[in-house]
Amino acid sequence: MTFCRLFAIISILSAINTAFAQQYQAQARTFVESDPSPYRSGNVFIDLYYGSQRYALACLFFATNLTSNKYMETDEAPLEPWEVATNWTSEVGECDWYGVTCDDGNFVTGIDLSGNNLGGTFPNEFSLLGSTLNYLDISNNPTASFGGGNFWISEMVYLTHLDLHNTNFDGRGLPDISELVQLKYLDLSFTYFWYNLDRPDKNLFANLDQLETLDISGNSYPGPVPASILNLPSLKKLYIYDSDFTGSMDFINDLPTDLVEIWADGNFWDEGPLPTGIRQFSNLKGLSLTNTGRTGTIPAGLGDLQELQRVWLYGNSLVGTIPGEISNLDKLIIFQVEDNLLLGSMPDEVCELFDNPFGLLKVLASDCTTSGGSVNCPCCNCCEAPCDCDSGGCAGDEPSPPTGGFCFSGESTVDVLNKGTVKMEDLKIGDKVLVGVDGKYEPIYSFGHFDTSVVKTEFLQIRTSTSSGLEMTPNHLIFMQGNEAVPASSIKVGDKVMMASGKTDTVVSIQEVKRTGIFAPFTSSGTIVTNGILSSSFATIQKSHYVSLGGFEVPLTYHQLGVVFESPHRLLCHLWGLDECARYERYDEGGTSQWVEKPMVAFQWLLEQNIVVSGILFFISFAFLCMINLIEMLVVSPVYAMCLMAAFVADRRRRRVNKML
């Protein structure tokens, strides 16, 4: 495909743009014509789409780098370039440009430029990527798009993930998303979209049957929540706080029963009791209805929602007492009911839940009598609004040490027996995954970390010449040449890593990316093949992949320690069965398993002690865990047990014969 033919095709977009648009278009055209591309021969692209995607990305760069818009003009500081622009508008192929992900055919499938200081006006030429792009995150940037400038969004028909939150995108009503039928995640929060969501000419949500997460908070949509949102069949998470909605909160009763989170704080709701339909959400994990004019009592039925982890009901006019049934919520992490009209005492059972050192409840807040309130709560860690609390506790609490990161992103993929390639976020306990170079599959018995929240986490995206891009936290362990598990942060371009084939492959690029959701599946061997690369289930919490006590390195790697460390957990799962083991999976607010959180805190405390104390306690604990590991091997492998018994009997006979001689 020659340049003349390429630019003839895309000239339709150029004809309708402003002088500024013509400037960045000219820059992009000059770049595509003059700079070599690995996807062309001479002035002919191997495929038309290689030329159009290079042009679209060049337009994106020149339109948003060192450029302004009306929302940025109030800032007198000089314009700053993109935070990271590695390889952009260079002779390197687009697949190696920062934030860009491609499929095996080198077609762009994902772009993550969140928090990268994109300015200017987002170009409509981006629509040229509409036939391949499935992931787009440009959140937390000052870039803007106005009215008809949002045209490109309607063309991105293969998107499954679209995140524009905290940008300067502007428009009366939401952009046309009606044809984005594959969307699973949509975040348009804290932009400048405004006006009624019901459009007379088009039902924006009618075709979004796969949409699971919707966040349109922080904008202005005066009027009730439209029925088209309530009828989304796959909706799991709905965030509509501070959006100027009006009317009754009984719309909650009509939401899909598989709902996992609902945040509807603020707005201008009619006063009234908590919606009765909340009790139908058996999978509900997060409920936030603060400052919504709720009256009446806290229903005892709230205690039947066994999956509840976070409850925020402060800033209302709730009366009566706090029901003791709240103590049934053994996964509860946050329970805030301060700034209400509640009376009586915090139930003893709830206080026991909070005081349990092995429990998950970290935040318990009410209007305590000790602070002039009307609730007797000796166990609350916040007694007066406003409470400054998060999943780790409240202001004034003794902070807990961090547990470190040992996770994959939800975009990483694994090979599941009888299912094929599956994203990490879609894995379940019991799935048999490829774990080694010998083609062996093992079931996932637990997740050390499982968090599907909207919180962004930084990952390293490691690509080899044959792998599309493994994404893991910097401390997570990956196997290098020589079968040694090292932290991902120590890997460099040019290093060789172990592949599922048993051979090594060369790392060709490493990028930092931000993703929602973090996952760490555990297998019996402690290994898992992710994006074709052999990885560990574990991570280091020190600089080295070897354990260090008091400044002295122990000849024990964190991968080896992790395998032994998990022995009691694995043994219980073998004895109980995976279904029963899954029933007792618990995760804190950050997604860390209860099997990991408390032992990790204890281990980090041990590492802080002097060499004598840490050495003695470590080796006693390690010896005990090794005994459990041996018992596990005997239980799991009868053949191993028989061989061990035969060896024991043979040794006894040899000793007897020697004694007779």
Side-chain angles (χ1 to χ4, degrees), residues 57-71:
L57 292 175
C59 283
L60 171 61
F61 179 77
F62 291 119
T64 62
N65 183 51
L66 287 170
T67 56
S68 185
N69 58 57
K70 70 177 185 180
Y71 290 109

Side-chain angles (χ1 to χ4, degrees), residues 27-99:
Q27 290 175 295
R29 178 168 179 162
T30 300
F31 163 70
V32 174
E33 288 179 333
S34 61
D35 284 16
S37 165
Y39 313 129
R40 84 182 197 205
S41 176
N43 71 338
V44 178
F45 279 99
I46 300 170
D47 187 295
L48 166 65
Y49 200 77
Y50 288 138
S52 61
Q53 77 177 13
R54 197 167 178 83
Y55 176 74
L57 292 175
C59 283
L60 171 61
F61 179 77
F62 291 119
T64 62
N65 183 51
L66 287 170
T67 56
S68 185
N69 58 57
K70 70 177 185 180
Y71 290 109
M72 299 172 63
E73 289 172 357
T74 57
D75 189 354
E76 296 180 358
L79 290 173
E80 296 289 339
W82 282 14
E83 290 285 343
V84 184
T86 306
N87 290 334
W88 276 77
T89 61
S90 72
E91 63 183 30
V92 175
E94 303 90 82
C95 298
D96 291 320
W97 294 6
Y98 171 77

Side-chain angles (χ1 to χ4, degrees), residues 485-553:
V486 301
S489 58
S490 68
I491 298 290
K492 302 179 182 64
V493 172
D495 286 345
K496 294 186 179 296
V497 294
M498 294 298 299
M499 307 299 291
S501 62
K503 300 179 181 179
T504 61
D505 197 10
T506 303
V507 175
V508 296
S509 72
I510 301 173
Q511 295 185 145
E512 291 184 357
V513 297
K514 293 180 180 180
R515 301 278 189 254
T516 56
I518 45 181
F519 308 88
F522 283 177
T523 63
S524 295
S525 62
T527 60
I528 186 169
V529 175
T530 313
N531 291 81
I533 301 175
L534 184 62
S535 309
S536 172
S537 295
F538 309 112
T540 175
I541 59 173
Q542 296 176 305
K543 293 182 179 179
S544 171
H545 59 292
Y546 282 97
V547 178
S548 180
L549 298 175
F552 295 92
E553 199 169 81

Side-chain angles (χ1 to χ4, degrees), residues 200-483:
D201 60 325
K202 189 170 292 185
N203 187 334
L204 295 179
F205 297 95
N207 301 322
L208 307 187
D209 290 347
Q210 298 185 46
L211 190 63
E212 297 177 356
T213 300
L214 175 62
D215 191 345
I216 51 175
S217 305
N219 297 317
S220 181
Y221 314 111
V225 178
S228 55
I229 290 180
L230 308 181
N231 295 330
L232 290 169
S234 301
L235 192 64
K236 300 289 192 300
K237 299 179 180 180
L238 178 61
Y239 306 98
I240 54 172
Y241 56 94
D242 297 335
S243 297
D244 295 343
F245 283 112
T246 61
S248 171
M249 284 202 75
D250 286 343
F251 76 90
I252 289 178
N253 301 336
D254 298 322
L255 287 168
T257 57
D258 287 339
L259 204 68
V260 174
E261 285 200 334
I262 169 73
W263 295 8
D265 314 75
N267 297 300
F268 298 100
W269 308 115
D270 298 340
E271 288 189 0
L274 291 169
T276 57
I278 291 175
R279 303 177 192 179
Q280 68 183 326
F281 304 131
S282 58
N283 296 319
L284 194 66
K285 294 182 179 181
L287 176 65
S288 190
L289 303 178
T290 66
N291 300 298
T292 56
R294 295 310 90 201
T295 59
T297 60
I298 299 175
L302 205 62
D304 296 332
L305 303 179
Q306 294 295 303
E307 299 299 318
L308 261 182
Q309 299 176 0
R310 301 175 292 179
V311 177
W312 294 281
L313 296 175
Y314 61 81
N316 287 298
S317 299
L318 297 170
V319 298
T321 59
I322 298 169
E325 286 80 358
I326 298 299
S327 64
N328 296 333
L329 305 176
D330 56 3
K331 296 182 181 180
L332 195 61
I333 300 167
I334 296 175
F335 186 71
Q336 288 189 241
V337 292
E338 72 273 16
D339 196 16
N340 277 290
L341 303 174
L342 298 167
L343 301 170
S345 299
M346 184 67 68
D348 292 340
E349 304 93 329
V350 178
C351 281
E352 290 173 6
L353 198 66
F354 180 77
D355 292 334
N356 182 356
F358 298 102
L360 299 177
L361 187 57
K362 298 292 191 301
V363 176
L364 186 59
S366 69
D367 299 312
C368 309
T369 53
T370 54
S371 299
S374 52
V375 177
N376 179 25
C377 185
C379 58
C380 286
N381 57 343
C382 183
C383 289
E384 186 175 4
C387 289
D388 182 12
C389 304
D390 57 27
S391 59
C394 297
D397 291 349
E398 182 177 347
S400 300
T403 57
F406 52 99
C407 312
F408 300 96
S409 81
E411 296 296 310
S412 297
T413 60
V414 299
D415 184 359
V416 179
L417 189 64
N418 298 325
K419 291 184 179 180
T421 301
V422 175
K423 283 188 176 182
M424 194 71 68
E425 63 187 3
D426 296 324
L427 288 177
K428 299 179 178 61
I429 290 177
D431 282 343
K432 292 186 176 181
V433 297
L434 184 64
V435 297
V437 299
D438 55 358
K440 183 180 180 182
Y441 289 80
E442 291 177 352
I444 295 171
Y445 68 87
S446 180
F447 284 88
H449 214 123
F450 191 96
D451 183 16
T452 59
S453 71
V454 297
V455 177
K456 291 277 187 178
T457 302
E458 290 189 357
F459 297 92
L460 294 180
Q461 183 188 79
I462 301 173
R463 297 179 69 244
T464 70
S465 58
T466 59
S467 172
S468 58
L470 164 64
E471 296 176 354
M472 56 171 49
T473 48
N475 283 357
H476 204 106
L477 300 174
I478 181 174
F479 285 92
M480 288 188 65
Q481 186 177 24
N483 215 32

Side-chain angles (χ1 to χ4, degrees), residues 629-641:
N629 186 242
L630 178 61
I631 295 172
E632 178 198 2
M633 287 189 288
L634 295 175
V635 171
V636 173
S637 177
V639 174
Y640 180 83

